[in-house]
Structure formats: structure tokens, C-alpha cells
Amino acid sequence: MRAVQITEFGGPEVLDVVDLPDPVPGDGQQLYEVSAAGVNYADTHQTEDSYLAPQTLPLVPGAEFVGRPAGGGERVVGLVEGGGYAEKVVGSPRLTWPVPDAVTDEQALALVLQGTTAWHLLRTSAHLAAGESVVVIAGAGGVGSLAVQLAKRWGAGRVIATASSPEKRALAEELGADATVDPALADDDPKTFTAALREANGGRRVDVVLEMTGGNVFDGSFSALAPFGRLVAYGMAGRRPPKAVQPPSLMGTSRGVIGFWLAHCFSRPAMLDDAMSDLLQLTADGELRPVGGGRYPLSAVREAHQDILSRRTTGKLVLDPTR
């Protein structure tokens, strides 16, 4: 089969399309023929070995796919611990979900990892309450574009999205954001970013922040929290850690910092079932709009990673293993 393999760590240049033997299912696993594979920002950390879980070479990246069981069967979308960038993949049927006819491959891939992340950030980690203000960092991205829509659907009083270009800010507003902020304001001084978030919230501090950049964006977002506000950290796209958060700064202002990593839901698949059943139905009914970010041939995997790293993309990126 054709697959993308990494034999050394680095940037997009280490992604090579090669011929590999078909993967062999283990106990409780199924072989699937892949029609589309999803690309996530976390995959760029995987190629660098800078992600939460250490990586072992050689490896085939990719954590999600749409396809059918080898030999035939219904179309499913699934999560795997690796190997998604390929024509075939092995996975656990317990971590796959049937895709309704009204939902495209691209939409399903937007939901299975990024959609479930957005769902759990708001429901499980932040415990969003009706009327609360929500800041969505990278509101035009894969997770952010869905989090903006879900926050509005679940009764957020005001949704503020950050995005790095006028076009991305316009998209976030089209999806339901009440206001948008340029995250570049945090580049020199996080206080400037804090002030911009408060201004976007009518001069008030904010209740919930979904944060995946780190560095000054984290610092400025944390400073913008209201008493009992929660910042949920689920990434560090800027590759720069924020300042350490000290317990007195939490106690003195009744603020909270929460971490989230979807991998912990793999051992609790019922958590994924709850999110996927909700997200797939909303999408099939036309009430949720997963944003497509482009379908790349498998042979253009380096370009896909370069585009996502340079912030040229919006929504969900997909690889076509047939090309």
C-alpha cells in the first residue's frame, strides 16, 4: 500500500510517500480501506517528536480516517493511534462510527477528532453555562470553527474568536462569533491582548477561554478571565510555553486552568460516542457546519503540513490516498 512514512524527525521535509506492506490486524482489530485521511495540527508535533506522547521511528502519522472494512461494509469514520496517512489502516471497531449518507468524508473527518475535542472542551472541561462569554483562540481552525458554533448553540452569552487574518475573522463571524480579535496583538505584550479581549466583551472580563497557542496568547487570555473563569489548554501551536501559573494567582481571583487531551477518551469510548452521535446528527440535519480546508493528494502531504504550519488554512485538511 501507499503510505506516508517518517524515518527521522523534523519538519514537513521528513514526510515521504513510500510503498509498505499492508498492516495486519491484531486481536479485536479490523483492516479498513481508506477513502480519506484527516490532517491535524497535532500531526506537525508528531513529525517533530514534540507532542505529549513520545514517538518511535519509523512511523506512519495520522489519527483519523474514513473508509470501509476490507471486503466491504458500511462507511465509517474512525480514530487510530497512528497509521492514518495510508491506503489501508487497522483500527478498533469500537472507535469507529457509521457515517450518515448526508455527511461527506470531509465533514466526518472534521468531527471525529477536532469536533469531539470542541464538544468536550465546552461540555466536559469548561462546563459552559448559558449566558457565559467564551473566547475561542484560532476560531477559524478545525477545532475553533466548530467550537464557535457549539458555544452559540449551547447558549453562550457572547462568543469572541481570534483569527490571524481579515478573511479568517470574517469566517469566524459568519459562523456565529459576536466579535473577533487579532492574536498578533499578543506578540509584543500580553497586556495588549488582554485589553482587546475585554474590549470585545464590552469591557468585562471573560468566563471561558479555549486556548491552543501558548506563550503570550495564553498569558493574555489568563489575565482576561473573570472570577470563576476557566481557561482550557489543549495545544501549544506557538511552540512557546506560557508563564508558570502559581496557585495564589488562582486562589486570589477564583480562576481555573484546565488541560484537555482527547487521547484520554480513547479508553473511555462512551465519551466519544456521546460527542459523535450529537455531532453527526447535527451535521446531517444541516445545523452544524464543519468547514473544509482542502483535499490534498497523499503525494502532497508536505504541502499540507507547510500550509497548516504557516496558518494559510481554515477548517479541516484531508488527504486523498488514491492520488
Side-chain angles (χ1 to χ4, degrees), residues 44-87:
T44 68
H45 284 285
Q46 190 179 26
T47 64
E48 299 171 347
D49 196 22
S50 62
Y51 201 43
L52 294 171
Q55 305 298 309
T56 301
L57 296 173
L59 67 88
V60 176
E64 57 193 10
F65 72 96
V66 171
R68 298 179 188 273
E74 65 181 346
R75 184 174 57 125
V76 299
V77 61
L79 288 170
V80 290
E81 294 184 0
Y85 289 12
E87 290 181 314

Side-chain angles (χ1 to χ4, degrees), residues 288-312:
L288 185 67
R289 176 189 162 193
V291 177
R295 188 178 181 98
Y296 295 73
L298 191 70
S299 57
V301 62
R302 293 183 180 182
E303 180 184 345
H305 273 232
Q306 288 165 350
D307 286 348
I308 202 170
L309 283 167
S310 62
R311 300 184 182 179
R312 289 196 290 265

Side-chain angles (χ1 to χ4, degrees), residues 135 137 162 186 189-195 197-198 204-233 241-258:
V135 175
I137 304 300
T162 74
D189 187 354
K191 293 180 180 178
T192 303
F193 188 60
T194 299
L197 293 180
R198 292 185 63 176
R204 301 177 300 277
R205 293 183 177 273
V206 301
D207 298 307
V208 172
V209 180
L210 309 183
E211 208 291 298
M212 46 68 72
T213 301
N216 284 356
V217 172
F218 180 107
D219 297 339
S221 299
F222 179 69
S223 295
L225 286 178
F228 303 106
R230 291 87 71 202
L231 184 152
V232 186
K243 294 178 182 176
V245 176
Q246 303 298 330
S249 71
L250 300 177
M251 294 184 295
T253 54
S254 297
R255 294 176 291 181
V257 176
I258 304 151

Side-chain angles (χ1 to χ4, degrees), residues 138-142 145 148 161-175 177 179-181 183 307-315:
S145 59
V148 166
T162 74
S164 58
S165 71
E167 294 78 15
K168 290 184 178 183
R169 291 191 286 275
L171 173 60
E173 292 174 2
E174 181 184 335
L175 295 172
T180 53
V181 172
D307 286 348
I308 202 170
L309 283 167
S310 62
R311 300 184 182 179
R312 289 196 290 265
T313 65
T314 57

